[in-house]
Amino acid sequence: MFVEGTILRGPNFDPVEGRVVVEDGTITAVEEESVSSSDVVLPAFVNAHTHIGDSIAKEAGAGLSLEELVAPPDGLKHRLLREATRAETVEAMRRSVRFMQRTGTASFLEFREGGVEGVFALREAVEGLDVDPVILGRETVEAMEAGDGFGASGANDADFGHERNATARAGKLFGIHAGEVDSSDINPALDLSPNFLVHVVHPEPIHLDRIEDSEIPVAVCPRSNLVTGVGLPPIRELLDRTTVALGTDNVMLNSPSMFREMEFAAKLTEASPREVLRMATRNGAQIAGLNCGVVEPGRDAKLLVLDGDSDNLVGSRNVIRAVVRRAGATDVKDVLL
């Protein structure tokens, strides 16, 4: 099979007219030639940080502080998660993942609450869907073993040395929240040699130096950070130092829309549209060890096709800028996962 249009090809998203040839779920060729389609073909998104369990509590907790909203064990989200039945939680997560699939997300890195049972519940929620989550269990080593790694709440909450060592022995991902409220937990988080950090809103120069020297990627969630009042991450400074990926964070606070996250990041920071698109695709895939996020031969054919002739996109003079700053769910023509 093949898809045609303006293809955002390769790691730099070079716009070329032509077709992407797909065989058995793999991109086998990107052929540059004149075609009649006005579609735009780009890599499907990889959402680098989510809390999908929060789908049972959308827009709850207006006016509460970050700690009151999400701090374990008694933040609002944790109380609501305990009160919900398993069936309610699974169905709510499934609805969110269906939205993600429809809007072009191929995978997401989930910090999954609820221990082993929480990991199993998310696997049940995605059954029959084409989105393939990377599930980082929380709270116990057993949850890590049941999932694809461990997602730590933050170095001020616990030591996490035992969990880090167990995750390393298992050869799985270890991610940790750091620098969300202040800088106090960034150095202890870096001491754990994580595979990636989440948030990093308040780094000091020493932290940026350590992140660069250790080549530790960062998943940023600017919409969530603004909603919770902790500020915006210094995306430009982080991009100059390391790999930066884009996440939507808690479904409680924000829709899991990578279109909205890209637009927000592009318009409120100094990141270029090309850098933001890379944050939403290739960089998240790189953190997760996935073979997608780039349209080139040998990659998994996880593709998003936008209608370049939609009322919203027609007439765009810069296709990458239009995809990042203007495109949305109504412009999606097809999703190949």
Side-chain angles (χ1 to χ4, degrees), residues 17-155:
E17 187 179 1
R19 63 175 55 89
V20 180
V21 182
V22 176
E23 296 180 9
D24 297 324
T26 301
I27 298 171
T28 58
V30 179
E31 301 171 346
E32 187 173 351
E33 61 179 84
S34 179
V35 296
S36 59
S37 174
S38 59
D39 292 345
V40 179
V41 184
L42 61 144
F45 302 125
V46 176
N47 190 333
H49 184 62
T50 60
H51 293 275
I52 294 297
D54 297 11
S55 300
I56 60 158
K58 295 172 184 172
E59 303 309 318
L64 298 181
S65 69
L66 178 62
E67 183 172 357
E68 291 169 329
L69 282 167
V70 302
D74 294 320
L76 178 62
K77 67 171 276 181
H78 296 281
R79 299 200 307 271
L80 293 175
L81 283 168
R82 288 194 293 269
E83 292 169 5
T85 67
R86 186 180 192 279
E88 289 170 339
T89 301
V90 168
E91 177 60 16
M93 290 193 295
R94 184 172 182 82
R95 296 294 292 267
S96 288
V97 177
R98 279 169 50 188
F99 172 82
M100 295 169 79
Q101 177 173 307
R102 190 165 62 250
T103 53
T105 294
S107 185
F108 57 97
L109 283 75
E110 166 72 1
F111 276 39
R112 184 71 193 106
E113 291 87 359
V116 172
E117 180 54 34
V119 173
F120 291 160
L122 180 52
R123 286 200 174 134
E124 181 180 335
V126 301
E127 259 181 45
L129 300 178
D130 293 326
V131 178
D132 188 16
V134 176
I135 307 174
L136 305 185
R138 301 183 70 180
E139 300 151 11
T140 66
V141 168
E142 290 75 18
M144 176 275 293
E145 293 171 341
D148 303 300
F150 191 88
S153 58

Side-chain angles (χ1 to χ4, degrees), residues 3-16 18-20 22 27 30 37-46 102-106 258-259 262 273-274 276-282 292-296 299-308 313 318-329 331-337:
V3 290
E4 294 182 332
T6 298
I7 302 158
L8 303 187
R9 181 178 66 183
N12 290 320
F13 308 108
D14 300 315
V16 298
R19 63 175 55 89
V20 180
V22 176
I27 298 171
V30 179
S37 174
S38 59
D39 292 345
V40 179
V41 184
L42 61 144
F45 302 125
V46 176
R102 190 165 62 250
T103 53
T105 294
M258 293 298 282
F259 287 114
M262 286 196 303
R274 182 173 269 104
V276 172
L277 185 55
R278 191 175 293 121
M279 289 162 61
T281 55
R282 188 189 75 170
C292 61
V294 180
V295 182
E296 63 185 9
R299 298 280 186 168
D300 294 344
K302 310 288 188 180
L303 303 173
L304 171 58
V305 182
L306 302 180
D307 179 4
L313 295 181
N318 183 314
V319 64
I320 297 175
R321 185 178 172 89
V323 167
V324 170
R325 296 168 63 97
R326 179 175 296 271
D331 302 305
V332 175
K333 186 171 183 178
D334 199 7
V335 180
L336 284 71
L337 300 178

